[in-house]
Amino acid sequence: MRPEDDGEFVGARLDSGLRAARFASPPSAEEFADAIEPRNAPAVFRGVVKDWKASFRWDPRHGGLDYLLEKVGPDVDVEAMISSTGHVFYGDLRSHERVLVPFSKFIHSCRSYLRNPNASSDSSKAQEILNNPTASETGCSGSLDSCDQVYLAQVSILNNENKERCSLEVLKEDIKEPTFLRGKPFSSINIWMNRAHLRSSTHYDPHHNLLCVVAGCKKVTLWPPSASPYLYPMPVYGEASNHSSVSIEEPDYSSYTRAKHMKEYSERVILNCGDALFIPEGWYHQVDSDDFTIAINFWWKSRIMTEMLEHMDAYYLRRILSRLVDKEMNKMVQESSVCHSKGSTVIQPMDEAKGGFEQLNLHSQGADSDTSDKKDSPLQTLEPSTLQALYELISLVHNSVELVSQNEVSEPTSQNESYNQSNERKKITADDSSLLEKDAIAKIMLPLEPLELQSMLLVMARTFPRTLEALVLNMLGPIGAEILTRKFDEMDQQATKEQQSEFYKTFYNVFDDQYAAMDSLLNGKEFFSFQTLLLGMDSFIMMHFR
């Protein structure tokens, strides 16, 4: 995201349900707890902290520096962040240092910058502060004055996890707990203050956050957790795992190819003095702060994290993996359908007047084949495209399966053998788009409407029962089993209970062992789920955990 991109915006691909809600007046604590916080989506509250003492006493451009120095006193040291990457503060420890400096020194440097904001800065001066962080004001103010890359970041006003770190606790008198956060168990309340314009890198926090601007202006760009693939978070095992790897000023799209779409999934909001922004846990955000911007933020644990007990971890993980599998399966089937419709060639229906029916009747295995009147043949009920699909299926089965006889297919000798997969099909490929290409039967069934497929299966059950048996027990691959059972579900939605019962009775009566047929379908679906789990986990880890 480049600094010249000004103003608020909403990315074209950001789901409408994830866009920041706007409030002109503060909600009640009940409304926030019941309707806003559970959405896990941002919310902007205009003017909700304008009545804080901090909002009209701390502004550096209107006497706030003198007020803050007098309020805090001359002998308080604060932890400052000094960047080695200019005005951009990245989360990686290799790009910044935290040093202890007198608060008075920082205030005096702000005064100098206020008097002469165009003075050139020298990032090498930051090292002088690192080498002599506790030097006296007169001895070291020069180096601090000429170093723009200084940020009072996350300096505690209240810290329930480490009470010893509250160096600016006295400033708590000038702020108020927002009424809609009443009763929240705050982990910490912090001040964020910069002298010159700066930018924070894209990152997320493990707590809910209310960011309140009391002086200056912040431009906050937000991404939902689902946008992780476009942001390339750092490795989960690293010390900056909550930060994006993508540079916000010079993104390397050759290395991070998906990042070119990151703006499409984002939203930017502008916070002026008195405004507040709710940033849910896990939401990525990148912040641009104008000169002399001061903010207060409240962090608290979400209800989900508070109630996520350790002994439930295995259950939550299984639920998450199950949802991941369902999502990936739907995606694979839908993408296969789209690719098939775009890339398939036009099927030329068989010439019904010149032997089309005869072609199928040569393979006919049921009682209907004995009829001499072709007008009574079940084949005549099928649409030309469905008839073509039937012919292709029969050809596949007869060309690929070795039949003991034309009227009988060998019965599987065990339940494991009932799902007969070739070694090639058992290989888990990293390219999920190839699964459909490797399953010719699935490719034939996929474009058929549910009721067309039902009609075709009924014809097979009555006219080509052995071929149908061989198809289900010996030929149907994992994605084919998934597509067929999904079509069954769609058929059920369009049929009465009686019609459903009649269809399944006719279908399963074909098989000498009906349980073997059901096992074959279920085994195929489970194997497809297993493939999807491996593919999905591989993709998920690469995109979200690197």
Side-chain angles (χ1 to χ4, degrees):
M1 204 65 61
R2 298 190 179 277
E4 61 266 23
D5 296 335
D6 239 348
E8 295 193 336
F9 66 78
V10 177
R13 295 189 180 183
L14 181 64
D15 188 280
S16 59
L18 299 178
R19 296 174 184 175
R22 262 70 172 180
F23 295 85
S25 58
S28 65
E30 292 74 18
E31 182 183 359
F32 184 83
D34 295 340
I36 300 173
E37 186 177 4
R39 285 183 64 235
N40 281 308
V44 180
F45 306 95
R46 297 297 183 192
V48 294
V49 300
K50 62 183 179 182
D51 61 339
W52 285 4
K53 191 174 184 179
S55 293
F56 54 85
R57 292 301 306 270
W58 292 8
D59 189 346
R61 300 181 186 279
H62 297 90
L65 298 176
D66 293 337
Y67 174 82
L68 286 169
L69 183 57
E70 181 180 354
K71 183 82 173 177
V72 174
D75 302 321
V76 175
D77 290 336
V78 293
E79 195 176 63
M81 184 183 290
I82 298 179
S83 170
S84 61
T85 51
H87 65 290
V88 180
F89 283 75
Y90 288 99
D92 192 339
L93 289 176
R94 301 171 184 82
S95 65
H96 72 266
E97 293 285 349
R98 285 186 176 273
V99 298
L100 204 63
V101 298
F103 183 70
S104 58
K105 178 193 291 290
F106 178 75
I107 293 298
H108 283 295
S109 74
C110 289
R111 285 174 174 164
S112 298
Y113 187 79
L114 189 60
R115 288 193 298 268
N116 188 13
N118 295 320
S120 61
S121 64
D122 183 357
S123 60
S124 66
K125 297 294 184 180
Q127 191 59 43
E128 296 181 28
I129 304 172
L130 296 179
N131 294 335
N132 192 16
T134 56
S136 66
E137 179 183 325
T138 55
C140 192
S141 62
S143 62
L144 190 59
D145 289 345
S146 56
C147 177
D148 290 350
Q149 303 86 2
V150 181
Y151 188 20
L152 296 192
Q154 195 181 329
V155 179
S156 295
I157 293 176
L158 176 146
N159 192 323
N160 287 324
E161 297 175 349
N162 186 353
K163 297 184 183 296
E164 294 181 359
R165 292 190 57 202
C166 298
S167 54
L168 297 181
E169 187 174 5
V170 65
L171 296 180
K172 192 173 186 296
E173 300 169 1
D174 290 357
I175 66 175
K176 301 176 184 177
E177 176 184 312
T179 56
F180 55 89
L181 296 187
R182 187 175 61 244
K184 298 294 182 189
F186 298 125
S187 300
S188 63
I189 303 175
N190 310 288
I191 185 172
W192 308 73
M193 182 174 179
N194 58 283
R195 181 183 63 186
H197 166 256
L198 61 79
R199 315 188 74 197
S200 72
S201 62
T202 305
H203 68 285
Y204 65 84
D205 296 312
H207 295 82
H208 281 338
N209 182 8
L210 187 74
L211 179 64
C212 310
V213 175
V214 296
C217 175
K218 285 184 179 286
K219 300 177 180 69
V220 185
T221 307
L222 299 152
W223 291 266
S226 55
S228 288
Y230 306 97
L231 299 172
Y232 294 86
M234 291 186 179
V236 70
Y237 48 80
E239 53 86 21
S241 59
N242 62 322
H243 284 255
S244 169
S245 300
V246 183
S247 167
I248 60 176
E249 298 212 315
E250 296 180 354
D252 180 4
Y253 294 134
S254 62
S255 298
Y256 306 109
T257 54
R258 294 186 302 272
K260 65 182 66 174
H261 302 294
M262 60 193 296
K263 184 175 180 179
E264 299 172 39
Y265 294 90
S266 69
E267 176 175 11
R268 176 185 283 158
V269 299
I270 297 177
L271 304 176
N272 294 301
C273 179
D275 295 337
L277 170 65
F278 170 55
I279 306 174
E281 65 172 349
W283 273 72
Y284 291 87
H285 48 285
Q286 185 274 315
V287 184
D288 286 270
S289 301
D290 287 356
D291 290 359
F292 299 112
T293 294
I294 307 175
I296 298 292
N297 91 295
F298 297 79
W299 269 327
W300 71 98
K301 284 186 178 180
S302 68
R303 182 177 176 180
I304 292 176
M305 294 307 298
T306 301
E307 297 179 354
M308 187 176 284
L309 304 177
E310 187 174 345
H311 71 274
M312 296 294 289
D313 286 353
Y315 165 73
Y316 293 137
L317 181 58
R318 288 183 67 88
R319 286 294 302 270
I320 292 171
L321 288 176
S322 178
R323 183 157 64 179
L324 173 63
V325 168
D326 288 343
K327 180 180 177 180
E328 288 298 314
M329 287 171 64
N330 289 331
K331 177 183 174 184
M332 287 169 64
V333 172
Q334 290 169 4
E335 288 182 351
S336 296
S337 180
V338 171
C339 291
H340 186 276
S341 62
K342 288 182 178 179
S344 60
T345 57
V346 177
I347 296 176
Q348 297 297 331
M350 292 182 300
D351 188 346
E352 297 177 18
K354 295 185 179 181
F357 286 123
E358 284 82 350
Q359 284 181 290
L360 288 176
N361 282 327
L362 286 175
H363 301 291
S364 185
Q365 302 152 347
D368 289 338
S369 63
D370 296 332
T371 180
S372 59
D373 188 355
K374 295 185 180 65
K375 293 183 179 179
D376 296 331
S377 171
L379 299 172
Q380 201 171 33
T381 64
L382 300 180
E383 294 292 328
S385 58
T386 311
L387 194 64
Q388 177 70 35
L390 175 58
Y391 177 70
E392 293 181 357
L393 278 179
I394 291 174
S395 298
L396 275 172
V397 174
H398 282 242
N399 290 336
S400 304
V401 178
E402 203 175 295
L403 298 174
V404 173
S405 68
Q406 190 157 346
N407 296 321
E408 183 176 344
V409 67
S410 298
E411 184 175 349
T413 57
S414 70
Q415 180 173 323
N416 289 337
E417 291 174 357
S418 68
Y419 185 59
N420 182 24
Q421 284 269 308
S422 67
N423 290 333
E424 183 180 352
R425 282 182 184 151
K426 288 180 179 178
K427 292 179 181 178
I428 307 300
T429 174
D431 182 10
D432 57 3
S433 64
S434 68
L435 291 178
L436 182 70
E437 294 303 315
K438 292 182 177 181
D439 193 324
I441 292 175
K443 288 176 65 177
I444 294 171
M445 291 191 299
L446 184 61
L448 294 176
E449 293 296 325
L451 295 183
E452 288 180 332
L453 179 60
Q454 183 184 65
S455 298
M456 188 185 74
L457 293 173
L458 287 173
V459 167
M460 290 190 75
R462 293 166 180 158
T463 313
F464 311 101
R466 301 283 68 83
T467 302
L468 177 58
E469 185 177 23
L471 184 151
V472 172
L473 296 181
N474 298 84
M475 293 289 296
L476 201 60
I479 194 169
E482 178 65 28
I483 289 173
L484 179 58
T485 51
R486 286 183 180 228
K487 297 285 188 182
F488 282 171
D489 291 339
E490 294 174 14
M491 294 174 195
D492 291 344
Q493 295 173 9
Q494 302 178 44
T496 64
K497 291 291 184 183
E498 292 75 15
Q499 290 170 331
Q500 293 175 27
S501 177
E502 180 64 27
F503 168 73
Y504 290 118
K505 180 181 178 180
T506 304
F507 179 82
Y508 283 108
N509 276 346
V510 165
F511 302 91
D512 294 333
D513 184 348
Q514 296 183 10
Y515 291 104
M518 189 170 294
D519 280 347
S520 182
L521 291 174
L522 293 177
N523 288 340
K525 283 176 64 67
E526 289 171 0
F527 194 78
F528 178 63
S529 297
F530 176 63
Q531 287 180 307
T532 305
L533 174 63
L534 295 184
L535 293 168
M537 284 299 297
D538 183 60
S539 174
F540 191 84
I541 289 172
M542 288 298 295
M543 289 187 175
H544 296 268
F545 300 103
R546 294 178 59 79

